[in-house]
Amino acid sequence: MNKKQHYFLISIPRSGSTIFSAILSQNLDMYVTPTTFTSTLISNVENTWKRHFVVQSNNYIEDQLNNVLSAIFNSFWQHRSESIIIHNDREWAHKLNQLQRILEDPIKVIFLDRDLPSIMTSWIDISNKNPNNEYFERVKNKKISTNIDNLSAQFWFDVVKRYAEGKKKLYDSLKPSQILTINYDDLINNPTEQLLKFEEFLNLSHWEYQFENITSDTIYDDERFFNGLKGLHTIRPKLEKTSKNPKEILGESLYDKFIQLDKSINESFLQ
């Protein structure tokens, strides 16, 4: 079994991870996974192991469990020919201790960062393009107005909040040498510089990435599996900013609320 290098791409949803993954996948020695459930699978196996009466009543040891979990992790993408695997699994931010137990090398994370007002604006925009999506219906079923404030709250609590908390856990738990922050706007405005930082962080050979005619082999059935939000993972062929002005979409009050929330999250680990 050829040993692969495993790294992790984590972000709050709507931070550009889909197009960033497509760009990275141009490197023929690198495979960026689609959204994967490896962390959930491994957690389920661990929970089953610890609850099972056979384990509880016999002299099973912790090393056995770690060996089983490590085997699952390492075999999950072993069928790929690429030597570098970039795991696209946001849940690892909440399971770093478990992840380090099954990795031979220190964890290394690329965190794709974007300001909260822009993230929330992107969710509202994709919702507006898909009337009667699941999140819209959840607001409607509460018998309250489906206005921007209530839709934003629904997206915040259903999708965004957990991964914003995951961001804090990453920066609180990992050493600076273990995490690379790539800002969404920096990626759009100066992609070459950001990809050089990425290569330096992982000690990779240089690759000439292209930022036009971007494609992806990964196909998501967004409408079916992502609560009716068709186009959630659509990739633009050219790397450029097309997002709407957050203040215009959210309104000044809601915009300021997410600015302050963003500051409170960042200040918690920048102090």
Side-chain angles (χ1 to χ4, degrees):
M1 184 180 291
N2 295 327
K3 183 180 178 182
K4 297 185 184 295
Q5 300 173 65
H6 295 278
Y7 306 113
F8 302 88
L9 175 61
I10 297 178
S11 64
I12 300 173
R14 307 310 292 167
S15 295
S17 62
T18 304
I19 195 164
F20 186 56
S21 297
I23 292 169
L24 293 182
S25 294
Q26 295 171 18
N27 187 328
L28 299 181
D29 199 32
M30 182 183 300
Y31 180 65
V32 185
T33 75
T35 300
T36 184
F37 69 107
T38 321
S39 60
T40 302
L41 173 63
I42 288 174
S43 291
N44 288 343
V45 171
E46 179 167 6
N47 291 336
T48 299
W49 176 286
K50 291 182 175 180
R51 289 197 307 264
H52 203 283
F53 76 93
V54 171
V55 174
Q56 295 175 355
S57 60
N58 290 279
N59 295 322
Y60 285 79
I61 62 175
E62 190 75 10
D63 282 351
Q64 289 176 280
L65 172 60
N66 291 338
N67 289 340
V68 169
L69 299 182
S70 180
I72 293 171
F73 178 86
N74 287 308
S75 63
F76 201 94
W77 299 106
Q78 189 60 34
H79 66 286
R80 298 295 310 189
S81 61
E82 298 87 349
S83 65
I84 302 166
I85 306 295
I86 309 290
H87 295 258
N88 198 341
D89 187 344
R90 296 181 175 95
E91 282 300 314
W92 280 126
H94 295 274
K95 302 168 184 177
L96 293 171
N97 289 335
Q98 183 186 64
L99 178 59
Q100 190 57 80
R101 291 203 319 270
I102 61 178
L103 280 181
E104 294 181 20
D105 302 313
I107 299 167
K108 297 202 87 169
V109 169
I110 302 93
F111 186 81
L112 195 55
D113 199 17
R114 192 181 190 186
D115 64 278
L116 274 180
S118 293
I119 288 172
M120 300 309 301
T121 297
S122 184
W123 280 111
I124 294 300
D125 186 41
I126 196 76
S127 177
N128 289 341
K129 293 174 181 175
N130 294 275
N132 303 318
N133 63 77
E134 177 63 25
Y135 301 99
F136 183 90
E137 291 299 322
R138 289 174 191 174
V139 174
K140 229 166 80 168
N141 290 339
K142 294 176 182 177
K143 308 299 182 184
I144 58 176
S145 170
T146 54
N147 58 27
I148 295 292
D149 287 57
N150 291 332
L151 275 174
S152 294
Q154 194 71 45
F155 280 115
W156 169 254
F157 287 109
D158 284 2
V159 187
V160 179
K161 181 175 182 286
R162 176 168 177 79
Y163 301 111
E165 292 169 347
K167 173 183 178 181
K168 180 182 184 305
K169 288 185 178 182
L170 281 175
Y171 286 89
D172 282 347
S173 303
L174 298 180
K175 298 176 182 177
S177 60
Q178 292 180 277
I179 186 164
L180 170 69
T181 303
I182 293 182
N183 180 269
Y184 174 83
D185 288 329
D186 292 340
L187 177 65
I188 297 295
N189 296 327
N190 197 341
T192 299
E193 181 180 324
Q194 300 311 306
L195 268 297
L196 287 172
K197 285 169 56 178
F198 167 80
E199 291 173 341
E200 182 180 359
F201 176 64
L202 299 183
N203 195 26
L204 303 178
S205 300
H206 180 61
W207 187 273
E208 288 292 337
Y209 295 96
Q210 303 300 313
F211 308 117
E212 295 189 11
N213 302 314
I214 301 169
T215 60
S216 175
D217 293 332
T218 302
I219 299 174
Y220 292 94
D221 188 346
D222 291 333
E223 193 167 11
R224 182 179 178 188
F225 293 109
F226 290 90
N227 298 317
L229 294 176
K230 186 177 180 181
L232 191 67
H233 292 93
T234 297
I235 293 177
R236 302 185 303 274
K238 183 178 180 180
L239 185 63
E240 59 183 349
K241 190 165 186 176
T242 60
S243 52
K244 295 179 170 58
N245 185 315
K247 190 173 286 190
E248 291 179 3
I249 299 299
L250 300 175
E252 191 163 344
S253 175
L254 196 55
Y255 173 84
D256 288 342
K257 186 180 295 184
F258 283 115
I259 283 287
Q260 293 306 313
L261 188 55
D262 212 6
K263 286 181 179 178
S264 69
I265 293 170
N266 291 334
E267 286 171 358
S268 69
F269 54 79
L270 291 178
Q271 292 176 346

